[in-house]
Amino acid sequence: MNILITGGAGFLGSNLTGRLLAAGHKVWVVDNLLTGHVENLEVFKTNPNFKFLRLGIETADFINFGQTVGVKLDQVYHLACATGVPNIQTLGEEMLLACSLGTLNVLRLATKHQARLVFTGSSEAYGDPLKTPQAETYTGNVDPTGLRANYEEGKRFSETLVMHFVRRHQLQAVIVRLFNVYGPNMALEDTRVIPRFVTQALTNQPLTVQGDGSQSRTLCFVTDILDGLQTVITKGIPGEVYNLGSDQSITVKNFAIKVIKLSGSLSGIEYVPRPAHDHASRMPVLDKIRAFGWNNQVDLTTGLKATI
């Protein structure tokens, strides 16, 4: 197939690129390298089925690419958006443009090509949830003017655009809400809990646990996420939303202890203030995607060893 990945130089996108190329597909990767890294794609540059374009999806250059791509695209994986809580303010405008104008451009392109599309939304769509676990029918607890709103509301607006194109233009598109993905190719400078803890452990620095560490996370290894994305883009019902992640929870403190043990680190734990906007916990209901035969295959210990 001919497949487009937006945001393909990032952690998730580069792993997806490798999998699709290995299966014999032709892959176009578009990324503006705002938080992605071209180094993640170096291993593919000699593959004749791979092409990389440094473009922002909100730009006229991306629209021109869509008009001149030269082949009919079969699938679009829409992953493009700056990530990371510290970037919510510093790259806030870029997030909002990618989620609004950028997503609009991607949807128009997919419609023109009659391609199947999967949009990678986020558990951030649920905000600081008032009910646990969260099923896809839960509409969330989000503050549209809060500190996380650039990302939370950006992703929610992208979902609205996707649904409009499904209803108005019969686009074969599905929405996936990702929960705490981790694995190889996460950026070393990423300050989210997994790359931060692993980097600190490997350099024998104290692992900085925010608050008392009682807040919990559900962590899903990247290969399980890729299995899920490929499942829904082929089997998903257009216009449906699917949670994708793990429903096994671990506290941040216990996760820090596990990283220290598995890495053989000499690090200790340092408790630091917890941001007021940090959520206590999220956990997905996974019944909808499991109905397609998908399930988690990689346990946390195995996944962490590979990541370390």
Side-chain angles (χ1 to χ4, degrees):
M1 289 187 290
N2 297 309
I3 301 175
L4 169 66
I5 305 175
T6 70
F11 150 59
L12 184 59
S14 59
N15 278 283
L16 178 60
T17 299
R19 175 175 289 207
L20 295 175
L21 288 171
H25 301 298
K26 295 181 179 179
V27 179
W28 283 258
V29 167
V30 168
D31 199 302
N32 63 2
L33 302 182
L34 194 62
T35 56
H37 293 270
V38 72
E39 292 81 7
N40 289 337
L41 304 173
E42 283 294 313
V43 67
F44 312 128
K45 66 181 183 180
T46 59
N47 190 318
N49 288 334
F50 169 75
K51 187 170 184 178
F52 169 67
L53 299 96
R54 184 172 182 175
L55 298 173
I57 57 172
E58 74 284 0
T59 65
D61 287 339
F62 176 77
I63 296 173
N64 291 336
F65 155 73
Q67 294 170 343
T68 60
V69 64
V71 298
K72 180 187 180 299
L73 295 172
D74 300 296
Q75 294 181 345
V76 177
Y77 289 85
H78 180 22
L79 281 58
C81 182
T83 57
V85 173
N87 291 329
I88 288 175
Q89 296 304 313
T90 58
L91 298 177
E93 186 172 330
E94 290 83 351
M95 287 180 180
L96 290 167
L97 284 172
C99 290
S100 54
L101 183 56
T103 294
L104 179 63
N105 289 338
V106 173
L107 292 171
R108 285 173 171 167
L109 173 61
T111 301
K112 176 184 176 182
H113 286 258
Q114 296 182 308
R116 288 186 65 90
L117 178 143
V118 61
F119 168 68
T120 54
S122 170
S123 62
E124 293 282 340
Y126 299 120
D128 190 7
L130 300 178
K131 59 186 296 184
T132 297
Q134 295 84 46
E136 292 88 347
T137 52
Y138 178 54
T139 54
N141 177 39
V142 180
D143 178 1
T145 62
L147 290 173
R148 300 171 80 100
N150 294 338
Y151 191 76
E152 289 177 341
E153 291 293 352
K155 285 290 186 179
R156 285 163 66 95
F157 183 69
S158 281
E159 289 192 13
T160 303
L161 280 172
V162 171
M163 290 305 302
H164 171 73
F165 271 74
V166 170
R167 294 173 179 134
R168 179 76 180 271
H169 304 289
Q170 293 74 54
L171 180 64
Q172 301 290 295
V174 293
I175 295 165
V176 171
R177 293 176 183 154
L178 302 181
F179 286 70
N180 295 116
V181 189
Y182 74 100
N185 284 9
M186 297 194 88
L188 292 174
E189 69 273 15
D190 194 327
T191 59
R192 285 176 290 182
V193 65
I194 298 167
R196 185 176 82 242
F197 280 2
V198 171
T199 301
Q200 289 169 336
L202 291 177
T203 53
N204 293 313
Q205 300 176 56
L207 273 64
T208 49
V209 172
Q210 296 176 342
D212 62 3
S214 62
Q215 64 271 36
S216 63
R217 298 292 183 264
T218 57
L219 308 173
C220 189
F221 193 63
V222 62
T223 55
D224 286 339
I225 294 294
L226 298 183
D227 289 344
L229 292 178
Q230 291 185 287
T231 295
V232 297
I233 204 169
T234 55
K235 298 181 180 180
I237 299 169
E240 289 292 316
V241 180
Y242 299 91
N243 285 337
L244 183 55
S246 169
D247 56 5
Q248 300 300 307
S249 182
I250 186 171
T251 67
V252 171
K253 178 181 178 180
N254 287 339
F255 178 62
I257 293 169
K258 192 174 187 72
V259 169
I260 291 171
K261 180 180 178 182
L262 291 178
S263 63
S265 176
L266 302 176
S267 298
I269 292 176
E270 177 184 347
Y271 295 93
V272 299
R274 183 179 166 198
H277 57 78
D278 184 38
H279 64 86
S281 66
R282 296 194 193 112
M283 181 183 292
V285 174
L286 297 169
D287 295 349
K288 285 183 67 174
I289 193 166
R290 283 177 174 159
F292 295 132
W294 177 91
N295 215 329
N296 299 95
Q297 301 295 325
V298 182
D299 63 84
L300 184 58
T301 297
T302 303
L304 268 179
K305 286 180 178 178
T307 304
I308 291 166

